[in-house]
Every structure is written in C-alpha cells, then in structure tokens.
Amino acid sequence: MIVFGIGAALFTVAEPVRDAIGERITVDSMIAANVLFYLILFAPLILLSLLLGLLGRHQVLRAGESPLGWLALGLAIGAGGLTTCVIYAWLNASLHQVPIEPTAEHHLILSAAIVLLGVAAEEFLFRGWLLGAVQDMLGSSLAVLLSAIAFSGFHWWAGGATADVVSLANLMLGGLWFGLLAERSGGIVAPMAAHFAWNASESIGFGLDPNPGVDELGALTNFDLTGLRMWGGSDEGLNASIAMTLVLAALIIPLLPAFSRRMASVESSSR
C-alpha cells in the first residue's frame, strides 16, 4: 500500500508541486539553482527511505559484511565499468575531446557531493528499504528483480530517460547490478560505491553528462559522444548505448547465484 501510495503521489502531486515551487523560487546563479534542484529532489527521498525503514522495521543503513573491502571493490568496478564503456565508444570513433573553456568555473567537490547525494537517495530507497522489504515477503531473486523495475521506472519518470529500448534495458540492468551487489555484500556500501564511482566518472571524470557539453559545476575533462546512437551519439550519451549494455551484462553475470554455484562446483572438483 505504501508503494502504490508513493507511486500515485508522484504521478498526481509531484508535477503541480514542482510548478508551484518553480514559480516562487528564483536564483541568479546557475550553480545555486543546480544545488537547490538536487536538494529538493533527493533530500526528501532520503528522509522517506529512513521513515519507511522505521515503519517496516527494516535496517536501511546496513553496511553489510567487510564494508571497507566492498567499498574499495565497488569504487573499482564502478569506475572501471564506466571507463570500459568509454573505450568501446572510442574504438567505434564516437568519442571526441573538446577543450574546456579557460574561464569556466570548476566546483568539482560540490559536484561530487551532489553525485553522492543522488546516489545515497536512490540506494537508500531501492536497495536499503525496498529490496529488504520485498525480500522478506518474496525472496531474494524477486526482490532484486522488483527493485530493479522500480529503479528503472523512477529514472524513466523523474530522470528524463526516453522510452528507447536500449536506454530502458540499461536502466534495468543497472538496477539488477546494484541489487545483486547489495544481496551479495549484505548491505548498501557496495552498490553505493559502485553507483557513485560510475556516475562521478561519467560526469566529473570524462564530462560525458550532459552530452554534448559539460555540467555547470565543471569536469576534469570534456568528451563528447557523436555518431551512431548505439555507441552514445545522442542526448542520452552512454545511457542509450549498447556499450553500456555489454559492460553491465558482464558485471552482472559473476553475481548471479547460478554462476556462483557453478564456479564453486568447478573449484571443488578441481581440488
């Protein structure tokens, strides 16, 4: 009932509330507007996740087993996965470096904080609360699947993603990857680390979000993706590319229970 209530509220109340706030709040600085937008969008989601966890007696802020190890692994595979997507685009001649304007302002720490805020809100809600709540009722496999569907649906509605098949598939695969990381590690540290490293590498490291151009808060480098949409040459960039599909699939397969059981069986037989 809570899930359906939240869904109904998002689709019936959010738009008029957004318009009302937009009419009453004016800021002169694009940086201040950016920060304010993400605070209004993500801070209530964090509070909502914690409240839902309290009501349902689910521990949203669970670190899991070996949190420092999973933190390091999550950061490595998140940044490595996104970098692999970029290499695919480069191999297909879709990647072009664009000089950053010398007068451009760089607020990279602030940008990283905003990325972390968004990642925390999504991970608290979908892997911290929803995954645990559904897992108690339907088991781990269905919980991971349903949390991935909710994750992709949220991005499609709130994140401006198009109904493109590849884009929606990548959102779904991303949700499955983060859910499997949470399930394998027993907490939200691993998916948060992987999610943050992926998003930060894309927007701050390579300057690929937005595409073309660079975020108002700046980036370390500025690459644009051009050419075929299937390799990132659209407004959605890598999010609508098969490069991301291939990389996410490769990251998901080792986390699947069937794959893990098979590898364990091979190791035991080799001994």
Side-chain angles (χ1 to χ4, degrees), residues 27 69 78 82 106 108 152 176 183 186 200 202 229 231 246 262:
V27 288
L82 191 280
H106 292 276
L108 301 184
S152 57
L176 288 173
E183 176 64 21
E202 183 179 22
R229 179 182 180 86
W231 294 111
L246 295 171
R262 183 177 178 182

Side-chain angles (χ1 to χ4, degrees), residues 118-131:
V119 166
E122 293 174 4
E123 293 305 320
F124 286 8
L125 183 61
F126 296 110
R127 262 66 66 177
W129 169 71
L130 184 59
L131 181 64

Side-chain angles (χ1 to χ4, degrees), residues 158-222:
T162 65
D164 178 82
V165 174
V166 177
S167 180
L168 292 177
N170 286 339
L171 286 171
M172 186 69 183
L173 288 173
L176 288 173
W177 178 40
F178 297 137
L180 288 168
L181 278 173
E183 176 64 21
R184 178 62 65 88
S185 65
I188 61 172
V189 169
M192 273 193 66
H195 198 166
F196 171 79
W198 185 286
N199 287 7
S201 297
E202 183 179 22
S203 60
I204 302 173
F206 292 101
L208 292 172
D209 184 22
N211 183 56
V214 70
D215 189 82
E216 290 90 350
L217 299 177
L220 292 173
T221 58
N222 181 22

